[in-house]
Amino acid sequence: MTGATEGTISGRIGTNDPDRLNMYEIYHKKSRIYLSVKRVMDVALSAAALILLLPVFLVTAAAIKCEDRGPVFFVQQRAGKDRKPFYMYKFRSMYVNADGKLKEMMKDNEQTGHAFKIKNDPRITRTGKWIRRFSIDELPQLINIIKGDMSIVGPRPILTFQMEECSQYERQRLVVQPGLTCYWQIGGRADVTWEEWVELDLDYIEDMSLWTDIKMIVKTIPAVLSGDGAY
């Protein structure tokens, strides 16, 4: 995260700063070479990670299956680049049919804005709590990256119905490919408010470069291992 981001974000929260209503224009001024290299890096690193992390995939799948015999993977529609929906893959961390209880649980939401988080969500399994703490549940999204639905670095994708509730200002975060990691991921995750989350995503769109992406990937490793804000 840049020093400017750390020093100015609190002053922009909830302001819908008119100077930040041009993210589409900013994104389309990015170097074509950079965007091409970013895609090659996405595919190469994701393919390598899938091979190296195969033992983690197998152990996680076995733990999920042993706990309640339900499906290993959870597939959910999310809002992607330019608001186009796609199906995102995760290791299942909740009981079967838990997704159907989301709307009735919104009254207990501990997050702000259009995000949903409960620190002690009763829908999460014992295995789910462990794999969420270290973001292991997100690893199947490496497949989404190879498919072209996502990038390694980019704003985290939200549910399609949440996207429909967003303002024009908030939807600007969808002018780029959603990502596996972002400023939000290394900056506190669930401890970051929705309003801060949006500003951090807009910061990333402004900052986008190969060097920014490399730094983000490196910083994600200690952030994930610490488990801060993960629930």
Side-chain angles (χ1 to χ4, degrees):
M1 195 184 309
T2 64
T5 297
E6 294 171 342
T8 62
I9 184 171
S10 60
R12 293 199 303 260
I13 299 304
T15 62
N16 285 1
D17 185 348
D19 291 335
R20 304 198 102 194
L21 281 169
N22 59 347
M23 290 299 146
Y24 184 87
E25 180 181 342
I26 288 173
Y27 172 70
H28 283 275
K29 286 182 178 179
K30 299 295 179 181
S31 164
R32 298 296 102 183
I33 295 175
Y34 156 63
L35 294 176
S36 296
V37 171
K38 180 179 176 71
R39 176 59 185 154
V40 170
M41 184 171 71
D42 281 344
V43 174
L45 292 181
S46 296
L50 280 172
I51 295 171
L52 292 173
L53 294 172
L54 182 59
V56 176
F57 271 68
L58 294 176
V59 170
T60 302
I64 293 170
K65 203 70 178 175
C66 287
E67 182 164 357
D68 64 6
R69 303 296 180 184
V72 168
F73 297 105
F74 174 68
V75 182
Q76 188 179 56
Q77 192 176 75
R78 297 291 178 107
K81 184 178 183 296
D82 296 328
R83 298 161 57 183
K84 294 178 181 177
F86 71 99
Y87 287 97
M88 189 181 80
Y89 309 129
K90 299 181 73 172
F91 279 121
R92 183 174 59 86
S93 61
M94 293 186 176
Y95 293 105
V96 176
N97 299 324
D99 196 41
K101 299 179 180 179
L102 176 60
K103 289 189 177 181
E104 68 183 65
M105 294 184 66
M106 289 300 290
K107 65 182 186 302
D108 301 316
N109 190 13
E110 296 173 3
Q111 248 294 8
T112 60
H114 306 291
F116 178 83
K117 285 289 181 181
I118 297 178
K119 186 165 288 187
N120 295 303
D121 194 324
R123 300 172 300 162
I124 300 175
T125 63
R126 287 175 298 173
T127 300
K129 290 178 182 179
W130 183 77
I131 64 175
R132 277 175 170 242
R133 176 172 175 76
F134 299 105
S135 296
I136 293 172
D137 60 319
E138 309 287 0
L139 291 180
Q141 286 154 48
L142 293 167
I143 298 171
N144 285 117
I145 295 170
I146 292 173
K147 287 177 61 182
D149 300 324
M150 296 174 61
S151 177
I152 293 177
V153 183
R156 289 295 296 157
I158 60 174
L159 294 163
T160 50
F161 84 84
Q162 291 172 324
M163 179 271 294
E164 294 295 338
E165 297 172 350
C166 289
S167 66
Q168 178 187 355
Y169 182 81
E170 294 167 332
R171 289 179 185 177
Q172 290 186 106
R173 60 194 296 280
L174 300 174
V175 304
V176 300
Q177 211 81 358
L180 185 62
T181 188
C182 56
Y183 284 158
W184 171 84
Q185 183 83 8
I186 67 171
R189 291 187 272 188
D191 292 333
V192 176
T193 67
W194 167 255
E195 292 79 14
E196 291 170 327
W197 187 347
V198 170
E199 298 299 339
L200 289 171
D201 286 340
L202 300 187
D203 284 340
Y204 171 69
I205 295 170
E206 291 180 335
D207 296 344
M208 282 180 75
S209 69
L210 187 60
W211 179 235
T212 296
D213 289 347
I214 292 172
K215 286 191 296 183
M216 286 292 297
I217 293 169
V218 172
K219 288 182 178 181
T220 296
I221 297 171
V224 167
L225 292 177
S226 73
D228 290 342
Y231 54 84

